[in-house]
């Protein structure tokens, strides 16, 4: 029986120049042979081969970069507290807040976090969401996010569905962790965990698919853009739609400062009749390492910093400010009907190439752990939905108050556990100072989302307690 399977696999793989995947067949027992055969059947090798052939030109940004202009935007004014906009002057900050509140009161909003990444740079042996990041309590990223969703739903007296996208690399541990912690107070019906798809890693040198083990193809998550197909394939879009959801607030697991379902942000999106609205930060210099959101022929696109030609990145407006100023922080709000429309064509999102160090097993059975990138991974990115969205716009936020991504290992100069904790503590210290207290420079400050979601609510609560001077670490819960 397995002889027949072997023969048919060999024929198929030989035609595709991938027969090395069967090099260990003789040493595998029957269940392991079946496991390998299933993986081989699930892979579209023709697509993989095409992607490898076209790897140098999968995403040609040159024509876009040549025509790039600044996007329609709701912009922070210089004091960081008022907003001016190029979308329609009729939309004021107050109008936006009202529209956001209305959507939340009517139960139109769900929240989604993408948590399927492998977190290789951080070097943590669990899903990144389980990383203890809060500066005083040591709460994990997941705890912070779950409590923000819970606090927002309590505020509006409406359950907010919280969708958690995992990948095969993070699924089991995430599900167990969330269950062990009783979903941090969210109801079972309001947590929707679903798993994204994978793509095989191929050798950079010759496009051959890599084996992670004799019976295991090297598979990795298919990028956060895999969310679109995964939402559809797992029935999540249908479920949300049946619950009356119209907007999805999207963010990445590694940012503890994300202001989940912020009313003002939701409101600009709604009033501008946008299908996809993104939070952006103002770039400090032309070559900041963020994705640039630009407008080309009336449609928005993201151009990665590495793809933006210097001459375009350095263009300035008459007032001296950068023309390409909007850096994406991967916080979006998307309409559900837009996602439903796009999901029918989820395969249309382009693939991007990432060169990675990927351990692999040779046909001789040696496990190689490369010190230099040896493999290509193909990934889809969610921001490639932008050009398809009608009336897409951006909302500028203050980087230090909204964006503290945990990317790098302890000791790194930026985006490390230490720098992120400091930024979070500084952010909450600002709330204390605004409420009239003084904070000793060495004191770390943390505010649980269940205590307050905004500086204003915090000030009201703290005023009642009469807090004036903080001299030691403090956590408000
Ligand atoms: P990154 O691209 O920063 O990747 O993901 P990462 O996994 O966190 O870290 P490295 O690059 O391996 O060091 C940004 C966000 O997208 C999610 C991640 O979980 C993170 O929230 N993501 C990324 C997915 O959900 N799926 C993917 O396939 C890739």
């Amino acid at each position: 029986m397995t002889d027949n399977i072997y023969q048919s696999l060999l024929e198929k793989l030989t035609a595709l120049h991938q027969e090395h995947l069967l090099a260990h067949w003789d040493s595998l027992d029957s269940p392991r042979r079946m496991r390998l055969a299933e993986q081989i059947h699930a892979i579209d090798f023709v697509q993989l081969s095409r992607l490898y052939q076209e790897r140098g030109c999968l995403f040609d940004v040159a024509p876009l970069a040549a025509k790039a202009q600044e996007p329609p935007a709701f912009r922070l004014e210089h004091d960081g507290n008022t907003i001016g906009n190029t979308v329609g002057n009729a939309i004021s900050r107050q109008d936006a807040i009202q529209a956001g509140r209305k959507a939340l009161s009517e139960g139109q909003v769900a929240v989604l976090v993408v948590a399927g990444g492998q977190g290789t740079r951080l070097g943590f042996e669990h899903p990144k969401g389980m990383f203890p990041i809060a500066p005083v309590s040591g709460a994990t990223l997941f705890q912070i996010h779950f409590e923000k969703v819970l606090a927002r739903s309590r505020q509006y007296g409406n359950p907010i569905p919280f969708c958690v996208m995992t990948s095969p690399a993070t699924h089991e541990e995430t599900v167990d962790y969330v269950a062990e912690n009783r979903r941090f107070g969210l109801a079972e019906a309001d947590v929707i965990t679903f798993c994204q798809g994978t793509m095989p890693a191929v050798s950079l040198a010759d496009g051959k698919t890599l084996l992670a083990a004799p019976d295991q193809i090297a598979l990795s998550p298919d990028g956060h853009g895999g969310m679109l197909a995964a939402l559809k394939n797992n029935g999540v879009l249908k479920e949300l739609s049946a619950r009356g959801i119209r907007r999805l607030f999207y963010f990445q697991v590694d940012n503890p400062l994300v202001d989940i379902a912020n009313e003002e942000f939701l409101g600009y999106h709604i009033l501008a009749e946008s299908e996809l609205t993104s939070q952006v930060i103002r770039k400090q210099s032309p070559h900041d390492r963020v994705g640039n959101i630009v407008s080309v022929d009336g449609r928005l696109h993201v151009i990665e910093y590495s793809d933006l030609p210097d001459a375009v990145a350095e263009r300035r407006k008459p007032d001296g400010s950068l023309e390409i100023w909007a850096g994406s922080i991967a916080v979006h709000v998307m309409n559900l009907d837009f996602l439903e429309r796009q999901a029918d064509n989820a395969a249309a999102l382009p693939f991007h190439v990432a060169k990675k160090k990927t351990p692999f097993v040779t046909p001789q059975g040696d496990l190689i752990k490369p010190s230099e990138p040896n493999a290509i991974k193909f990934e889809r990115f969610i921001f490639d939905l932008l050009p398809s969205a009608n009336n897409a716009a951006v909302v500028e936020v203050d980087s230090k108050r909204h964006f503290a991504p945990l990317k790098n290992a302890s000791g790194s100069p930026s985006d490390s556990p230490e720098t992120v904790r400091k930024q979070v503590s500084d952010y909450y210290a600002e709330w204390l100072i605004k409420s009239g207290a003084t904070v000793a420079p060495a004191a770390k400050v943390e505010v649980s989302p269940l205590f307050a979601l905004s500086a204003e609510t915090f000030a009201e609560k703290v005023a009642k307690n009469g807090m004036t001077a903080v001299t030691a670490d403090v956590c408000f819960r």
Side-chain angles (χ1 to χ4, degrees), residues 25 89 96 99 116 159 170 184 217 241 274 291 319 336 359 380 417 444 465:
W25 187 265
N89 290 325
T170 62
F184 299 99
I217 287 177
S241 168
S274 161
D319 67 1
L336 204 71
R380 289 190 161 113
K444 291 187 224 125
N465 298 343

Side-chain angles (χ1 to χ4, degrees), residues 16 33 89 129 139 223 273 278 289 297 300 318 329 360 384 423:
L16 297 159
R33 286 179 177 176
N89 290 325
E273 296 181 20
S278 298
R289 294 162 75 91
D297 297 333
L300 299 199
I329 59 166
F360 66 101
D384 284 322
Q423 200 181 330

Side-chain angles (χ1 to χ4, degrees), residues 115-118 126-128 165-175:
Q118 292 167 302
H126 305 286
K128 208 190 261 188
M165 184 174 88
T166 60
S167 67
T170 62
H171 188 75
E172 241 174 81
E173 257 192 293
T174 302
V175 168

Side-chain angles (χ1 to χ4, degrees), residues 114-122 128 165 196 221-224 252-254 356 379 407:
V114 286
Q118 292 167 302
T120 39
R121 284 169 288 172
L122 181 63
K128 208 190 261 188
M165 184 174 88
Q196 70 178 106
D222 56 358
H224 42 68
Q252 302 190 333
V253 74
D254 51 23
K356 302 265 179 170
E379 298 183 336
K407 298 287 184 194

